[in-house]
Structure formats: C-alpha cells, structure tokens
Amino acid sequence: MAFIRRVRTASGATAVQIAEYAGGRQRIVRHVGSAHTEAELGILLEQAGQLLGDPDQGALEFDVTPTPLVADLVSPRRDDLVDVEPRSTAARRDGSGRVVGTDSRLLFDVLARVYASLGFDAVDDDVFRDLVISRIVEPTSLLDTGRVLTDLGRTPASYATMKRTLGRSMAGAYRDTIAAACFTHAMNAGDISLVLYDVTTLYFEAEKEDGLRKVGYSKERRVDPQVVVGLLVDRNGFPLEIGCFEGNKAETLTLVPIVRQFQQRHGLAEIVIVADAGMLSATNLRELDDAGLNFIVGSRVTKAPVDLESHFRWHGDAFVDGQVIDTITPRTGHARKDGASNPLVKAEPIWNADHHERSWRAVWAYSAKRAVRDNRTLTLQEQRARDVVSGDKATRTPRFVKTTNGARRLDEASLARARRLVGLKGYVTNIPAELMPAREVMTSYHALWNVEQSFRMSQTDLRARPMFHHTRDAIEAHLTIVFTALAVSREIQARSGLAIRNVIRQLRPLRSATIAINGTEQTFTPEIPEAEQAILDALERA
C-alpha cells in the first residue's frame, strides 16, 4: 500500500516522501521535498497527493494500486532504507521547496472566457484583451497596468506595445468589431426593439483646451476641459454604441448622431429610442420622427399646465394615486391651436399623427409617493428662499425668490404653481396608443435607470475619468476599452447576479502558487470555497 510519509530530519525540517510496504518494510519511492514552515509543508503534501492520485504525473512505480495515506511523524532511524537528508549531491538537487510567486490567474481566465463568449476575441489582439481585463479588475494608468497584469498571472506587454495597441484599436476599427459583437449578443439574449440613451461628461487633468477637450456644462460644476460621451444600451443596460463629442457641445445635439450611427451600422429601420427630459428638444424629436424612429422622452413638469389644461378645468388639481392621463402636448411652446388639448372639451384628445401635426402624444401619471417626495423638496426650497429673503442666509438667488428694484421677496405664485404639480411625471412619444398603451410607455421609460447604472459603472468601477490622454485617437481608444470592459462587466453581473466589484473582491483572493522544488517549478491551483465555486459555475454559463 502506497502512502505519504512525513519524517522529521536532523535539521528540524520535515521531509515529505512517498513510500510503500515491500517485504514487510517501508520502501521510499520518491522524496518530494523538505519543509521548514507549515506553509511549505502544506504545499508539499498537496504535491505528494497529486502524485499519488494523478497517473499523468508518471514516475511512480507501484506493485499495488496507490492509496493516499499520510503517515505519522517519525524520527529518522538507522534501519531506514533511504537517508532522508543525504549529504550527497542529491541533497543539493532536492533542497526545500519555496514559493516563487502567487497570482490570480484563475480570475484572469474566468474574465477571458466571458470576453471570448461575447465574441470579442474576433478582435484577435491579446494585448487589447489584457488591457480590457486589467481595467475591469483594477482600473489604473497605462504605466501601472503591467503590475495588475502580473498579479493576474500574465506576462504584460511593454508600455510601448500598450501605446501601439491604442493606435491599432483605431486603425483596426476595433470599436466597430466590438459594437457588432455587442449587437449580436443583445439580439441573441433578447431584442433591441427598444434602446436607451444618456450622456455624461469625462474631464481631464489638463489646463488648456483643444479641438475636442473643451470646458462646458458640468453637473459637478468643474471647470476642467472635458468631452461629452453618449451611450446607447439595450433595455437591460448592455452597451450597444458609444460616441464622443466636444466638451462644450449641447447634450441635446448628441442624440441623433449616435442613433444614426447605430442605425446605419446594423441596418435598422424600426426601433424605439428612450431618453430623459434632457433630450427633449423640438429639433431632436422632429429629426427622430423624420427618420422613421419612435421615441419616448421624459417631459418637464413645467409643461403640465398646458398639457393638462382641460383636466385642471374639469377635475381640478386632485389626483388619485396611479392615475394616468393620455393626452397631447405642443411640439413647440407656440403651437396653441391644434398643439394642445382644448380646455372647453372635457374628454382628453386621442393623439393621431395625421390629425395632430403640431403636437406629440403626452402621457402624464400621478404617484402619491412621488408627491410626498416632491413636497419635501419644495418645503426645503421654500425655507431656503425665506432665509434668503429675511437676510438670515447670504447666497445666490435660489428658487422662489423674486427680486424687484433690488428688494427680495418670496415668489408665492411660483411656489403655489409648483405645489399644484407635485406627484406628476410626464412622457412624450410619437407611438400611437393602439401600438403602445400608456402604462407600457411609462414602464419603457423607467428602464432608463439601466443606462444610468452603466454610466455609474464606467465612472466608478471602471474609472473612465479623469482621462490623461491628449490626442483624439488615444481618447477614442480609451473609450473603446471602457466600452468593451463595460460590456464584459454587465454580462458578468447578468450571469452571477452580483455587482462586478463584488465578483472581483471574491475571486481575486483565489491565488495560484508557483513552487520551485527539485530543480523544477510547478503551479498549484487554489482551493475554491463553495460560495466562490457557485460564482464560477454561474460565469461559465454560455
């Protein structure tokens, strides 16, 4: 019977050997190595166990079937068949095993398989793939990417090669290939009849503007040069298209170019575009409609008095929780004849593209929960306005403060109008009611949180900003990497049900160890706990 033997040597180390009983005595078949620490002992025992259990390890000749067994510690005796610590040249050859490195190659392999399953290996550039995976695991600068890849068990390309890869990604139209793969995946996973659009800004740690990086509107009130980035995703938040614009370009002017680019790339005719109220411009909606595209765009609450004029006249400002009003809204603020509902008619008009050429369909919904939230916000704004009027707080003029001849007073009329509209949310569309009921319009719009989540992922988990690139090609290449990393991250979240940071946090500590022993190096895979194995199983799902 073959077994694993641990022997205490004269130097105090523990020798790990594979032995068998022959003729009533122990015969040493192989000396695995000598351990000086508990960690080294565990590694040697693991290696001995693999030698016993894996016939591919070769080299062990037993007269009986090997049965793993670990013998008790014994002291060396003169009648041992083999000197456990020989003083010959064999001692120098065997020596004690030592750890020469550990890495998270298991994590890299998992991410690489997800990357390939999405069809991104069509790019056929390992350096590009490594840059994408590195950004998912630990977003950092290009100079520091080599450290991350080394920790993932990869031999990183040189910094110069990485920079050349950025250039290749533009010359080789990598983004086109990635976008085509994303489209195919989204089609196979569901449908792209409805797509969501939003914009964000990415700023630069730079002082001077250029043709692309310009100071523009920033929600964070930054004064750094920036670019405007538009992102198109499917209803589940999976990225489909990305575009980059000058930093001072109005957000409303980015929608149509991105949609047309997406439409031309894939030869699409009928899709529904969903965007927030920031995209609500007469030009945008007209161009989308002229292109034969359907849209659902958030409306501004300030349009409610015009759209709901008939309702307010006949029913007052009392609403029921969940109440939905399907009506029409003027295409422009000046269209009053057939562009708005008639307050003399009690019934709300049913929008028809042929009969209402100067209006769009508008859906308004009331939520009691939203009304409570809106009232709370208005109360805070009212108190701030009163503090400014009374002189208790010196600040720039807030909402509901009216200045007349240098004197400030509370704008009671504006406050009353705002109170009247709490709880209302509007949606503008060119989809007839017979094709999409009002509640489906609302549900489709509320899917916008998926694109907002994708932007949050790109800005936090993938750290798309700030950027340190200077040329347009390098900036576009950076966005291609972020776009690809976002697609892989969204797929990982869809398969595992966990946030990408959670997945990385659980899988990265599963480290493989490379051991130098007996003149060779061998890599041992980590033990995988049950919870982490469940994640791996979920990610292997095609």
Side-chain angles (χ1 to χ4, degrees):
M1 179 177 64
F3 59 94
I4 300 172
R5 185 169 181 257
R6 296 185 298 183
V7 181
R8 187 75 67 189
T9 66
S11 65
T14 301
V16 177
Q17 304 164 341
I18 296 177
E20 69 172 356
Y21 282 101
R25 300 187 64 180
Q26 295 182 13
R27 180 172 71 90
I28 306 302
V29 178
R30 180 160 180 171
H31 177 71
V32 180
S34 298
H36 295 81
T37 65
E38 287 295 323
E40 290 181 348
L41 177 60
I43 291 170
L44 292 178
L45 289 174
E46 173 70 18
Q47 185 182 26
Q50 291 184 7
L51 289 170
L52 278 175
D54 187 356
D56 292 336
Q57 297 290 341
L60 298 184
E61 298 177 0
F62 298 114
D63 295 329
V64 294
T65 302
T67 303
L69 174 67
V70 178
D72 293 334
L73 284 171
V74 297
S75 297
R77 300 191 307 270
R78 290 186 179 182
D79 59 352
D80 283 338
L81 295 176
V82 176
D83 184 359
V84 297
E85 192 165 310
R87 300 180 182 277
S88 64
T89 56
R92 294 192 296 273
R93 182 181 67 251
D94 291 343
S96 61
R98 67 185 186 281
V99 178
V100 297
T102 64
D103 54 60
S104 299
R105 66 181 61 191
L106 182 144
L107 173 59
F108 179 90
D109 292 341
V110 168
L111 296 179
R113 284 195 291 272
V114 175
Y115 177 96
S117 72
L118 292 172
F120 296 161
D121 51 355
V123 170
D124 194 23
D125 188 329
D126 288 347
V127 178
F128 176 80
R129 178 204 59 195
D130 290 357
L131 291 175
V132 170
I133 292 177
S134 172
R135 180 149 293 273
I136 296 172
V137 175
E138 185 183 336
T140 186
S141 67
L142 202 62
L143 276 171
D144 195 37
T145 297
R147 174 189 59 81
V148 179
L149 290 173
T150 300
D151 187 65
L152 293 173
R154 296 288 296 169
T155 301
S158 67
Y159 175 67
T161 300
M162 292 181 187
K163 289 181 65 176
R164 286 195 295 270
T165 301
L166 296 181
R168 285 200 306 273
S169 72
M170 294 302 298
Y174 286 9
R175 188 184 297 178
D176 294 342
T177 303
I178 297 296
C182 287
F183 178 80
T184 300
H185 174 77
M187 286 286 290
N188 294 336
D191 70 87
I192 46 85
S193 59
L194 182 143
V195 294
L196 316 171
Y197 180 78
D198 204 354
V199 297
T200 190
T201 55
L202 302 181
Y203 67 88
F204 295 80
E205 295 290 351
E207 296 181 359
K208 296 182 179 179
E209 297 179 305
D210 54 32
L212 177 64
R213 303 178 299 168
K214 293 182 178 295
V215 176
Y217 171 74
S218 171
K219 296 176 182 178
E220 300 173 350
R221 305 185 186 280
R222 302 188 67 95
V223 293
D224 305 288
Q226 64 182 24
V227 294
V228 176
V229 177
L231 180 66
L232 202 66
V233 306
D234 70 6
R235 65 177 73 225
N236 297 313
F238 188 79
L240 298 171
E241 196 79 35
I242 194 169
C244 180
F245 304 91
E246 294 80 4
N248 59 355
K249 195 177 188 69
E251 292 183 354
T252 55
L253 301 180
T254 65
L255 173 60
V256 173
I258 290 287
V259 172
R260 284 179 174 168
Q261 178 178 298
F262 178 71
Q263 197 177 11
Q264 293 170 4
R265 187 193 302 278
H266 306 295
L268 297 176
E270 296 184 1
I271 53 176
V272 178
I273 312 299
V274 181
D276 67 11
M279 299 296 111
L280 184 64
S281 75
T283 302
N284 269 351
L285 303 189
R286 185 185 67 253
E287 290 188 9
L288 290 175
D289 189 64
D290 290 344
L293 297 172
N294 294 321
F295 59 79
I296 300 173
V297 181
S299 183
R300 299 182 180 90
V301 71
T302 53
K303 295 174 67 68
V306 174
D307 296 355
L308 301 177
E309 186 176 5
S310 176
H311 176 87
F312 284 129
R313 180 171 188 261
W314 293 96
H315 304 283
D317 55 5
F319 294 91
V320 178
D321 188 27
Q323 184 174 353
V324 176
I325 303 170
D326 204 332
T327 184
I328 62 175
T329 185
R331 293 193 179 189
T332 67
H334 305 290
R336 291 292 302 170
K337 281 192 175 180
D338 67 339
S341 60
N342 186 354
L344 300 180
V345 179
K346 186 174 183 179
E348 294 291 342
I350 299 176
W351 182 78
N352 182 286
D354 296 328
H355 296 160
H356 302 97
E357 296 180 353
R358 301 175 67 184
S359 67
W360 301 117
R361 180 186 175 197
V363 175
W364 287 90
Y366 177 84
S367 165
K369 184 177 180 180
R370 185 185 299 114
V372 172
R373 185 174 61 248
D374 291 348
N375 267 318
R376 187 184 304 117
T377 301
L378 285 176
T379 299
L380 293 174
Q381 292 176 336
E382 179 184 359
Q383 186 58 50
R384 189 178 301 115
R386 291 185 182 278
D387 290 342
V388 170
V389 170
S390 64
D392 293 339
K393 183 178 294 185
T395 182
R396 60 180 183 173
T397 305
R399 188 182 182 188
F400 303 131
V401 172
K402 193 170 185 178
T403 303
T404 305
N405 297 327
R408 290 176 171 177
R409 62 182 178 84
L410 185 66
D411 192 345
E412 300 278 2
S414 295
L415 180 60
R417 283 196 299 270
R419 293 281 187 193
R420 192 184 189 196
L421 303 178
V422 296
L424 289 172
K425 176 65 180 177
Y427 315 87
V428 178
T429 180
N430 63 343
I431 306 175
E434 59 268 21
L435 294 182
M436 183 177 286
R439 294 196 181 278
E440 188 176 345
V441 171
M442 296 161 50
T443 302
S444 298
Y445 180 85
H446 290 167
L448 268 177
W449 71 272
N450 280 311
V451 67
E452 294 170 357
Q453 184 188 54
S454 290
F455 267 133
R456 285 195 298 271
M457 287 175 60
S458 67
Q459 293 166 356
T460 56
D461 297 328
L462 305 178
R463 296 184 197 169
R465 62 184 185 186
M467 278 198 279
F468 300 92
H469 302 288
H470 304 290
T471 65
R472 177 153 200 152
D473 282 355
I475 293 169
E476 294 280 9
H478 172 78
L479 289 178
T480 300
I481 290 173
V482 171
F483 178 73
T484 310
L486 178 60
V488 175
S489 299
R490 293 295 311 207
E491 179 65 11
I492 287 173
Q493 291 193 174
R495 294 185 187 184
S496 67
L498 301 173
I500 183 63
R501 284 300 104 196
N502 193 350
V503 173
I504 300 301
R505 187 166 54 249
Q506 293 194 54
L507 297 186
R508 196 173 186 181
L510 301 179
R511 303 182 71 81
S512 301
T514 301
I515 310 300
I517 189 168
N518 295 334
T520 62
E521 290 188 359
Q522 185 170 351
T523 299
F524 294 89
T525 57
E527 180 180 357
I528 304 175
E530 185 176 347
E532 284 72 16
Q533 185 62 54
I535 296 176
L536 294 175
D537 293 341
L539 295 182
E540 289 298 329
R541 175 173 58 85

